[in-house]
Structures are given as structure tokens and as C-alpha cells.
Amino acid sequence: MRRNLYFETFLVALAVILLEISYTRVFSYKLVYYFTYVVIGVSLLGLGAGGVFVASFERLRRLPAETAVLGCCVVAALMVLGGYLIVAITPLNLFRMVTSGNSAVVLGEAAKLTVVIVFLFAPFLAGGIALSTIFAADTERIGRLYFADLIGAAAGCILIIPAITWIGPPGVVQLAGFTFAIAGLRLARDAGGRWLTATAGLSLLLLIGSIFPGVLPDPVRDRVKGGRDVAAIYSAWSPVFRVDVVPVPMAEPATHFLVHDGTLGSSIISWDGDMESLTRYETMDRSYPFRILDPGPRVAIIGSAGGNEILGSLRLGASEITGIELNPVTVSLVKERFADFVSHVADHPKVTVVNAEGRSYLASSGKEFDLIWLVAPDSYAAMNAATSGAFVLSESYLYTREMIEEAFAHLDEDGILCAQFGEIDFEIKPNRVVRYLGTAREAMAQLGVEDFGAHAMVAVAPGFGRLNSSTILLKKSPFTEADIAAFRDAAATIEGAEIIYTPRAGTAGHPVSAVIELEGEARESFYETYPYRVRPISDDSPFFWHFVGFEAALFGGDLQRFNVEEGVGERLLLALLGVATAFAAILLLAPLVAVRDVWTKVPHKLAAGTYFAALGLGFMFFEVSLIQKLTLFLGYPTYSLTVTLFAILISTGVGSLLSERYAEDRDRAFNRILVALVVMTAIYLWAMDPVIEAGLGWSFPARVGVTIAFLVPLGLLLGAFMPIGLRTVSATGEYGAQYVAWCWAVNGFFSVMASVLSTILSMMIGFRMVMVVGLLIYVAGVTAFRRLPPPPSTSPTTP
């Protein structure tokens, strides 16, 4: 190379991370948040496939590195510009494809999906070819180049949240294309002529698209979300989820639905400021806890959304109301844009509305409440959309055993925790209620409560269609006879309401009564024989909505095809894992036919492949688990994503750079790194949870500092494995450049599978065990790699 390409490496990596994360938000709105993993997989697959292309095609390797990188940057920018248009306007019906038994429908949807994935894949492939070309052409500076790559990705993590806030995900997609174009601009200036004209023109178009995202088409949603038609009077993207405000025709009082990432999430109801206009709340299921509590309760509402429960609390006599809402856009609706619509309820002297994650707010507030009220705060909206920021599939830390313990710590002695859910087919499978009650029973046992049934009451009322509204009341002290009578009186005023459980008066044979009353082996037998997975959940595996096991999702013929809770998400994850594996195998093995003569001369392929596969799997297992666990600590899924990725990428880059200084004796370096990695894993297993629990109430900067302190040592360790391995394979013979590119590809392909597999394993065995598996994979990879001779400059290992 005539130039060093650190600048280009940095910008290509920056563009890739901006494109990947912004597309996860686009697809979360367009389809479902499970499709996040398609984007992640396509991104990693493109980067890995770039390595295969470089390794397999001699004409590509013979190009001057500057020319190849310039061409890749221009192609990537062009494909971003055109690819977003294809992605946005192509109607995909994912649920129909998964659930339809009509082969023509399945094939038609699959064809459209293939077109979308091809256009999604193209810029990542171009970026992968550019990075692989740079690494293969300058192996002597591989540590510094890898550092530039990781620093670019870390910079993307810093920029992505403010960028999404300012210009929205479609604008950030264009910004990523602009960054690709800028990455080629210096090389285009050297090449001159058409290259410079094309690069400058693309840069200008993409800059306009990023500055003025309103000119871009809105993504067409999946049919199950309503397709093209959303008669919104206001729309806004945020890093958490997109909000569309949609008027409800003929509603009285006037009502707007709040559509979260294309799915109905909550509502905002007009109020004229007159308390007498709120009498409807007295005959709604929202009245249950107020009928039991003393007058003037202090209320914390987790998931206050458009303020419906705030209005109900005002009418039902609350003296102090704290509305806690995750999405800043939703908060701004109540406080600013639609403040007149609700008579400035957020400014009412009894009301405080805060933008925060509910559990973190409780921990940091230092307050006690008479009622902590969870009004289905995530269901299929808030946390689901929040998790779409990349690797995060954290169904909810709001329903775990530890959260219930935290809530009880902030209740008055006679305080009540109220959880309300929309439950599909409650009479057949009250899954949400049963799981929450089982989890609450474990939490209260930890707090010394022996007779759980004396502290629980449950009722259900009709909702929309098959959707029922269920209410769970958990009291810190046992319910009195007066409490039970008040509960029954409240149910009598609610149309169609049915009491499912009160102390000493449960419905015989009902799953709710079983999970509350059964003891020991009988309760274990209930969990084993119940047709769905409803065991209690903890922070280590907080997948509240995971009711169908993966085996049942594949082979369970009695599952209801059109019920979104009947294994659709699990089937999508498994299908994605299968597709990723197939694509990885095809793109990894098929191109090798072109270089089969060379490939037979490359030594130690199995050992090297095992090592770089282990790096892809192990790194992702650690990364995904830590992002998940730190979501709770940092309070926002988006903060966890950006802070965790930033800390890991920066420290991994530094670790890569430092490896040049201490890895002269490769095998001794491996020994020291693995010992240190065992120590760090032990710290994560036994020290991280107590720190998270103790630190939930700390200031946000303090929590960020502790997070970085936890992650930097890990990054320094993991960052050394890649350059040590690449230096080794590059020195194995005359085909070192092809060997480096192939190993980079292997790493990318197994990272693709790990991005999905880590989530599946987390749902099955928990985050802690996934990290243990990651550690064992690193040990296995290093053990295999020791078969390769050290580079010539490496000293032999001293016994």
C-alpha cells in the first residue's frame, strides 16, 4: 500500500455500526423486534463474507489496496442510498409467512424477504471486503489496524443515540452511507476523474438524506401492524421506540392511541380539568387497590404512558402520584405537545412525571409508597422496542423476583403492589398471571413470608376479543377480612369481572390457585405438567414472555398458530439460527472451490478455524450476556447498549494494540490471558450481581463509571486474541494474506450464529452460564491453536 489506511478503517467501522444499529430500529418498527437478529446476523455475515471474497478471488487480491477500498466504499454508499428505499417500501408480512399454511403465500413472502436481505447485506459485504483487504495487505500493522477498526465501532456507539434522537433511524441510515462515502473521499481524490465525481456526488445526496430525513419514505409496516395506513397526527422516533399518535374515531371522551413501534401500546385521553368527568374510573379495574388502601395513598405508576392511570389515581383519591415512563417521547407528549389535551395533568400539584426506567427509579428514589402500580408497562411495546437497539432481548426486569423484592422495600407496611396484564385466553392459559404469582411467591419467601396466599388476590375482567384484563394485588401485610370484602365490592361494580382468588377462597383446580397454594413436590409437579413454561423468573434470565420451549416451538402441533405467544418468537429465533448457519456454511465453503489448489497447501486449517470460531462465539457470549445484565444497572436498554459496547470496543482495541508488546512469546501470553479471563469470569459470576443490586440507586455517572471499570479489563484481555492469532497465521507460509482473510471470515460467521445462539442459550440456562460457556469456548480455541507453530519472531515457550 502507498498509504496507511487507519483513517479509512476507522470510518468504515463507524459506518458499519451506525448502519447496523439504525436498521435494527427500522425493522423493529417495520416488522417485529425479533427481526433485530436478522440485521445483526446480516451485518456480521457481510463482514465475514468479505474475508472469504478476499481469500478466494485472486483478481480482487491483485488490485491495489487503495483501489479495492475505494470501490468498496462507493458501492457501500450507493447500496445504502438505494437499499433503504427498497427496505422501506417493500411490504413484508412476517407473521403471515410464519403462520400461513399456503405454500404460495410462504414463497411469495420469502421472495420479498430475500430481496430485502440482499439489499441489506450488500453494504455490509462491501465494508467486509474493504476491512479484509486492508488487514490482508498490511499484516505487520494488524494490531494498529484492528485498533482503528474497534475505535471506529466504539465511536459509532457514542454517536448512535444522539443521532437517532435528532434525525431518526432513517436519517442515521443515510448518515452511515455518507460515512462510507467520506471513507473513500481521500482515495478518490488520489484517483481523480470519475472516482472523485461519483464519491462527491454520493456524499452530497446522502448528506441531504441525513439532514432532511423527512424526504425519505416511511417504512411500510407488517400487515399485522396495520400495513401502510397510520393516520397519525404526530410521529417521533426515539432510541427506545417510535411513537405515533393516532386519533380514535367517535371516542368519548376524545382519545388518541399511542402506537409504539407500530403496535398499539397505550392511549392518551382528553380531560377538561373537572374531577367529575373522571367518574368512569370508579367502575374500572383500576379501582381495585384504591378500594382497599386508606384514603389519600401515595402512588407510583410504572409505565404511566399517556397518563390514563394518572387521571384514574386523581379521581380515586391519591394524595401523591409519581408517573414513571421509559420513553422520553411519551413523556414529552403529556408534558408539552398534548399538554392542553389533558389539561396539563403533569403540572397538577399532586402529580410528578419522570422519564426513567421503573426499577432504577425506585432504587434511587429513597421513597416509600402505598401503591406501586405496574400497568402492563412493557407487554409488546416499551421494553420490546427498547430491546431492539441491537443484541438486547431483555423481555423485562420489571417482573423478576428481584424486582418484586425491590418493590416491597419501597412499600409502606400495609402497601400494595398491583400488576395488571392483558391476558390472551385467560380461561384456557393464564400464563402471565401464573408466572408472575409464582415469581412473587419466591420473592416473598425470601422476605420471610410463609403464607403467600394470605397476601395475594386476583381478578379478571373482559377486554377486547380474546384479551382479558387481569389484576394481581400483593400486600406487604396479610389481607384482612375488610380488605377482601372491599375487593369483592369493587369487582361487583365492574362489568363482567370475576374473582379468581382471595385468601382461603381460591377457585378449585384453577392454575392460579395451584401456583399460590401447592407446596413442595405438588407444586413442582404442577410446573412439570402445565402445558406452558411458567416457572418463576429472575434477573439471570428475565424472559417473562417466554412461555413456549424451543422444542415445543418446533414440534408442538397443538400450539395455536395465530397466537403471537404460541412460540412465534421462538420459531423465528430458531429459523434465524438455521438460516445463519446455512448461509455461513455456503459462503464459507463454496468460494473455497475457486482456491482449492492453494487451500490444500495451507497448513493447520482445522486448528486455526477452531480458534477463530471460538473467538467469534466466545466474544459474543460474553458481550450479549453483559449487555443484558447491565441493562438493569444503567436503567435504559439503550444506555446499556451504548455504554457496554463503547467500553468493550475501546478496551478491546487497546488490548489489541498492547498485544504487540507482550505477545512475543505467544504461548506464554495465552497462558496469562486465560488465567486472567478465568479471574474476570469469576468476578462477573459472584461480584457483579451484588454491585448491581447495591448500585441501582447511585447517580447515573457513577453507574457508568462502575460499568466501565467492570468491562475494561475484559476488553483488554479479549482484544489480544485476534491480533495474536492473525500474526500467527500470516506467518505460516506464502499464502499468509489469504489465510488471514479466511480466518477473519470464520470469526465473522461464528459471530453471526453466536448473536442468535447466545440469546437462545440465555433463555434456556441464564446469562451466568452463558458466560461460563464463553470461557470454556475460549479455552478450547486456544488449546487447538497451540498446534500452530509460533511466528518466527516468537520465542519458544519456557517451561
Side-chain angles (χ1 to χ4, degrees), residues 254-275:
T255 301
H256 302 325
F257 283 146
L258 302 185
V259 179
H260 299 166
D261 264 351
T263 302
L264 179 61
S266 57
S267 61
I268 183 168
I269 301 174
S270 66
W271 181 43
D272 59 7
D274 182 5
M275 284 292 175

Side-chain angles (χ1 to χ4, degrees), residues 271-600:
W271 181 43
D272 59 7
D274 182 5
M275 284 292 175
E276 293 305 313
S277 66
L278 302 177
T279 55
R280 63 185 180 276
Y281 289 105
E282 296 177 2
T283 56
M284 297 173 69
D285 55 7
R286 291 169 176 83
S287 67
Y288 280 124
F290 294 92
R291 296 291 187 93
I292 297 169
L293 291 167
D294 291 335
R298 299 159 296 169
V299 180
I301 302 167
I302 298 178
S304 58
N308 197 10
E309 283 70 36
I310 293 175
L311 294 177
S313 298
L314 284 173
R315 174 62 195 183
L316 295 167
S319 62
E320 179 184 323
I321 304 164
T322 303
I324 308 161
E325 172 56 39
L326 180 68
N327 195 335
V329 171
T330 309
V331 172
S332 71
L333 297 180
V334 178
K335 285 188 169 184
E336 299 167 11
R337 187 167 292 271
F338 289 88
D340 290 339
F341 190 70
V342 292
S343 292
H344 294 267
V345 68
D347 299 324
H348 192 283
K350 294 182 180 181
V351 175
T352 301
V353 177
V354 296
N355 178 209
E357 192 276 326
R359 185 166 167 186
S360 294
Y361 177 82
L362 288 180
S364 62
S365 69
K367 296 180 179 180
E368 280 194 350
F369 301 93
D370 300 298
L371 172 62
I372 296 176
W373 193 359
L374 284 77
V375 198
D378 52 6
S379 295
Y380 295 108
M383 286 296 288
N384 288 354
T387 63
S388 68
F391 305 106
V392 186
L393 187 58
S394 174
E395 291 285 6
S396 186
Y397 282 103
L398 293 176
Y399 302 131
T400 64
R401 182 190 70 243
E402 294 85 349
M403 165 58 185
I404 295 172
E405 292 175 16
E406 182 73 41
F408 271 81
H410 292 273
L411 284 175
D412 183 77
E413 283 305 311
D414 291 320
I416 290 176
L417 173 62
C418 174
Q420 293 183 308
F421 301 100
E423 188 87 77
I424 299 175
D425 293 337
F426 179 89
E427 67 282 1
I428 300 173
K429 51 182 188 64
N431 294 345
R432 305 182 191 187
V433 170
V434 169
R435 170 164 278 169
Y436 191 76
L437 286 168
T439 303
R441 182 173 181 175
E442 284 197 354
M444 295 185 75
Q446 292 289 322
L447 299 174
V449 173
E450 297 181 359
D451 183 8
F452 176 67
H455 297 258
M457 294 197 289
V458 181
V460 65
F464 297 102
R466 293 162 53 195
L467 189 70
N468 303 103
S469 175
S470 55
T471 299
I472 301 170
L473 299 186
L474 302 172
K475 192 178 181 185
K476 197 169 184 179
S477 60
F479 283 111
T480 65
E481 291 297 332
D483 294 337
I484 297 170
F487 187 65
R488 293 186 178 279
D489 289 343
T493 67
I494 300 169
E495 184 177 355
E498 178 185 357
I499 292 177
I500 303 300
Y501 187 88
T502 61
R504 297 172 296 280
T507 303
H510 199 284
V512 168
S513 298
V515 78
I516 291 175
E517 296 178 345
L518 293 178
E519 300 287 350
E521 292 184 3
R523 186 172 60 193
E524 181 63 24
S525 175
F526 164 76
Y527 283 131
E528 287 290 335
T529 58
Y530 191 74
Y532 298 91
R533 296 169 54 100
V534 291
R535 289 182 181 275
I537 62 167
S538 69
D539 286 348
D540 189 50
S541 187
F543 299 94
F544 185 82
W545 313 101
H546 176 43
F547 296 123
V548 176
F550 288 100
E551 182 178 355
L554 279 178
F555 306 112
D558 59 340
L559 298 180
Q560 299 177 38
R561 178 176 294 172
F562 297 103
N563 188 333
V564 294
E565 287 187 340
E566 299 285 346
V568 170
E570 289 82 358
R571 287 197 293 271
L572 284 173
L573 284 174
L574 290 171
L576 177 55
L577 179 62
V579 169
T581 303
F583 268 80
I586 292 170
L587 290 174
L588 179 61
L589 299 176
L592 296 181
V593 175
V595 290
R596 55 188 179 277
D597 294 336
V598 170
W599 198 239
T600 58

Side-chain angles (χ1 to χ4, degrees), residues 657-675:
L657 203 58
L658 292 177
S659 69
E660 297 179 355
R661 300 185 179 183
Y662 65 78
E664 280 297 309
D665 187 336
R666 185 198 69 185
D667 289 344
R668 175 174 288 182
F670 274 150
N671 292 338
R672 293 173 175 173
I673 295 170
L674 285 177
V675 169

Side-chain angles (χ1 to χ4, degrees), residues 12 23 26 44 53 75 77 88 98 136 147 274 276 342 357 397 432 436 507 540 558 626 684 752 763:
V12 169
Y23 261 138
V26 169
L44 295 172
F53 275 60
V75 169
V98 173
F147 173 73
D274 182 5
E276 293 305 313
V342 292
E357 192 276 326
Y397 282 103
R432 305 182 191 187
Y436 191 76
T507 303
D540 189 50
D558 59 340
L626 290 169
Y684 293 143
V752 172
M763 297 169 85

